């Protein structure tokens, strides 16, 4: 796990992998269960809904810089790996 986190941070994965797996899939993996939980169990109780949404925001605050920097660095290395400018 540590190697995967560091490889993404350095931009060593392909641009497609960085975007689809390390950004989109991870966001869905964290966001969807929390949103479903808030709709199914927390909406009736505002305190539980607030806890779920604050957890979601906290996870995004922690994960977003890692995702953004890794994706940016993968994009910078994309053409050197034979990818197109578009």
């Amino acid at each position: 796990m540590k190697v995967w986190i560091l490889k993404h941070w350095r931009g060593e994965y392909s641009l497609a992998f960085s975007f689809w797996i390390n950004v989109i899939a991870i966001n869905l993996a964290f966001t969807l269960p929390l949103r479903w939980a808030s709709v199914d169990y927390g909406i009736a109780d505002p305190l539980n809904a607030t806890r779920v949404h604050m957890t979601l925001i906290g996870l995004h605050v922690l994960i977003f810089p890692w995702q953004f920097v890794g994706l940016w660095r993968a994009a910078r290395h994309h053409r050197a790996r034979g990818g197109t400018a578009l």
Side-chain angles (χ1 to χ4, degrees), residues 8-75:
H8 176 72
W9 179 258
R10 293 184 213 133
E12 295 176 5
Y13 288 117
S14 71
L15 183 58
F17 183 86
S18 294
F19 178 74
W20 288 109
I21 302 300
N22 293 336
V23 175
I24 299 298
I26 288 175
N27 282 343
L28 289 175
F30 282 116
T31 304
L32 291 178
L34 287 172
R35 292 211 186 253
W36 287 330
S38 70
V39 170
D40 293 341
Y41 304 110
I43 290 298
D45 182 9
L47 183 58
N48 284 340
T50 302
R51 285 182 185 146
V52 168
H53 288 103
M54 293 306 292
T55 301
L56 176 64
I57 291 167
L59 287 171
H60 278 99
V61 166
L62 292 173
I63 294 171
F64 179 75
W66 171 77
Q67 289 177 318
F68 181 79
V69 170
L71 185 62
W72 186 267
R73 290 176 179 171

